[in-house]
Amino acid sequence: MSRKNPEPEDRLVESEESRKVAAMVKALPDDELSLAWRSELNAKLKALEKRKRRRAGPHPAALVGGIGASVLAAVLLLFAMMPSRSGPSGLPPSQDLERQLLTAHLASADPSEAAGEGVSSVDEAQQTASDAQDWHSEDLEPL
Amino acid sequence: MDVCYGAAPLAVKHDLKTNEDLDIVESCRRDGAEAFGLLVDRYQNRVFGFVKRMVRDRDDACDLTQEVFIRAFQSIDRFDGRSSIRSWLFKIAHNLCIDHARRSGRLPKIDTIDSDQGDECGSVELADTRWNPEAAVADKELMEVVENGIREMSDKLRPVLLLHDREDMPYEEIASLLGLPMGTVKSRLFLARAFLHRRIRAYLNEEAACSEP
């Protein structure tokens, strides 16, 4: 660019010679980076990402999920601790009462009372002891 | 050839690429390092080529190129889409190269082209087939002359030449990236090419002299 004859910058840049030089610069071969370089960069980016996440704290969705799970667990625990409306055996209250009465009666009743007259407790005991083994031939005779 | 000078077709292509780049940025914000890898795939060799020609030492260029992408990853949340991803990455690269030059104590070279020397560009022998860029690619020595010329030119001229002639960046984008008026970008581009032209011509003349019986 001469000071005496100033030319517009565009004409200079667009001259044949200038464009040929531009084309040569464009034609220069690219230099490719190695896989080792790329692996190293990937490792650094991953480390940066971890640091970013640690600094950011837990994800909001994770927080909401945690709170929800806690509330649900508390509700379930509450239901589990509430006293049951049914009896200890799990039966409806009226049936449970009958069962208790029956159990008490059986515990208190004398076996002779259940068996009826003619069988004393001694007889019963003796009979029990000689159960199926003692029988007499006359037992086999037709009646 | 007009494509090199920011004509409409290049501008349209640039817009399409900007939209794709914005999609990648959104993915990076959502998915992190894995999505960022797509950006690295697209630009790593181009950024490396630029950085390597700016700092000259290959190992330094490898480290600086990594640093470009690390800085980009760290600040991707702040990318607002006002410039293209390409501009953004090359701006980071350019700034890192300047910092590197300062740290290594390398003072920026002053312009070595006198304004009068631009007139000498008119004396090129166009008949020399090695001026044909396609043929020149096969001439490794000539390519080496061009690379050396880029390495030795002024630090002020080099980024403009690389961004325009290697990256096909329009003048407006270069002006914005480097913080220069557009007129300055064009004049620096001309001076950079004139510098290379002198080097190439000197080499070709020497070759011709050697081959004469």
Side-chain angles (χ1 to χ4, degrees):
Chain A
M1 222 169 8
S2 169
R3 288 196 191 110
K4 286 179 187 174
N5 301 309
E7 293 183 67
E9 289 141 347
D10 286 338
R11 276 178 60 191
L12 287 170
V13 167
E14 288 172 24
S15 68
E16 185 70 26
E17 298 77 21
S18 190
R19 286 161 65 167
K20 278 188 177 284
V21 172
M24 280 197 170
V25 172
K26 182 75 179 171
L28 289 172
D30 278 329
D31 205 342
E32 294 206 352
L33 288 157
S34 66
L35 289 172
W37 177 93
R38 185 57 191 270
S39 300
E40 201 180 304
L41 177 64
N42 287 346
K44 287 178 183 175
L45 292 174
K46 284 216 162 83
L48 268 174
E49 192 179 26
K50 271 189 187 165
R51 256 182 272 152
K52 249 188 187 178
R53 287 196 175 151
R54 255 189 267 130
R55 261 187 265 131
H59 197 274
L63 272 173
V64 169
I67 290 168
S70 306
V71 167
L72 187 64
V75 167
L76 289 172
L77 194 65
L78 198 63
F79 272 113
M81 283 171 63
M82 273 172 66
S84 175
R85 289 169 56 200
S86 63
S89 59
L91 293 170
S94 58
Q95 286 187 19
D96 194 48
L97 181 60
E98 285 173 15
R99 194 162 168 276
Q100 283 178 14
L101 288 172
L102 185 62
T103 308
H105 171 72
L106 287 172
S108 63
D110 195 303
S112 62
E113 290 177 17
E117 290 182 4
V119 178
S120 68
S121 55
V122 175
D123 292 341
E124 188 196 21
Q126 283 176 350
Q127 199 164 11
T128 309
S130 63
D131 201 33
Q133 300 300 319
D134 253 355
W135 53 275
H136 299 281
S137 59
E138 58 197 42
D139 291 334
L140 296 175
E141 286 176 359
L143 293 168
Chain B
M1 265 315 217
D2 285 339
V3 158
C4 290
Y5 305 112
L10 183 63
V12 169
K13 189 178 168 187
H14 167 71
D15 286 340
L16 286 175
K17 215 162 202 174
T18 302
N19 290 334
E20 287 174 33
D21 284 347
L22 286 176
D23 290 341
I24 293 176
V25 168
E26 279 311 307
S27 304
C28 292
R29 285 171 180 160
R30 222 178 25 244
D31 305 327
E34 208 174 309
F36 189 77
L38 294 172
L39 212 64
V40 179
D41 287 341
R42 185 174 280 191
Y43 289 105
Q44 67 174 50
N45 290 335
R46 289 162 64 181
V47 170
F48 177 62
F50 175 80
V51 172
K52 195 187 70 164
R53 291 179 175 101
M54 290 291 288
V55 303
R56 301 163 194 180
D57 181 81
R58 191 192 160 83
D59 290 337
D60 286 347
C62 287
D63 293 342
L64 281 174
T65 306
Q66 279 197 354
E67 191 58 31
V68 169
F69 289 106
I70 287 168
R71 296 270 180 111
F73 184 68
Q74 284 174 322
S75 56
I76 198 146
D77 290 338
R78 294 196 296 274
F79 178 77
D80 55 13
R82 275 186 294 175
S83 67
S84 66
I85 281 276
R86 178 182 64 170
S87 275
W88 181 58
L89 285 174
F90 278 95
K91 189 176 177 74
I92 296 172
H94 182 250
N95 289 343
L96 284 173
C97 291
I98 291 175
D99 291 344
H100 173 83
R102 282 199 196 114
R103 277 197 313 269
S104 59
R106 205 161 48 84
L107 295 170
K109 278 189 191 168
I110 55 172
D111 291 347
T112 53
I113 295 289
D114 199 345
S115 56
D116 289 337
Q117 290 174 348
D119 291 341
E120 292 180 24
C121 286
S123 60
V124 165
E125 290 174 18
L126 298 176
D128 193 326
T129 53
R130 283 178 296 175
W131 272 108
N132 180 355
E134 286 77 25
V137 171
D139 189 336
K140 284 191 176 171
E141 276 187 27
L142 184 54
M143 288 292 107
E144 197 57 44
V145 168
V146 176
E147 290 277 16
N148 288 338
I150 293 173
R151 207 172 294 133
E152 289 165 19
M153 72 172 52
S154 161
D155 288 344
K156 289 185 181 179
L157 305 182
R158 194 182 309 112
V160 175
L161 178 83
L162 293 174
L163 291 171
H164 188 279
D165 291 348
R166 293 283 298 169
E167 293 300 319
D168 297 328
M169 231 184 245
Y171 296 130
E172 298 85 357
E173 204 173 328
I174 297 172
S176 171
L177 194 155
L178 298 177
L180 297 170
M182 212 149 80
T184 306
V185 170
K186 290 179 186 176
S187 61
R188 287 189 183 184
L189 180 63
F190 165 71
L191 290 172
R193 288 175 180 174
F195 180 88
L196 283 182
H197 182 276
R198 281 166 51 80
R199 289 300 185 94
I200 293 167
R201 197 179 50 165
Y203 166 76
L204 292 175
N205 288 342
E206 201 181 309
E207 282 280 297
C210 289
S211 61
E212 278 173 7

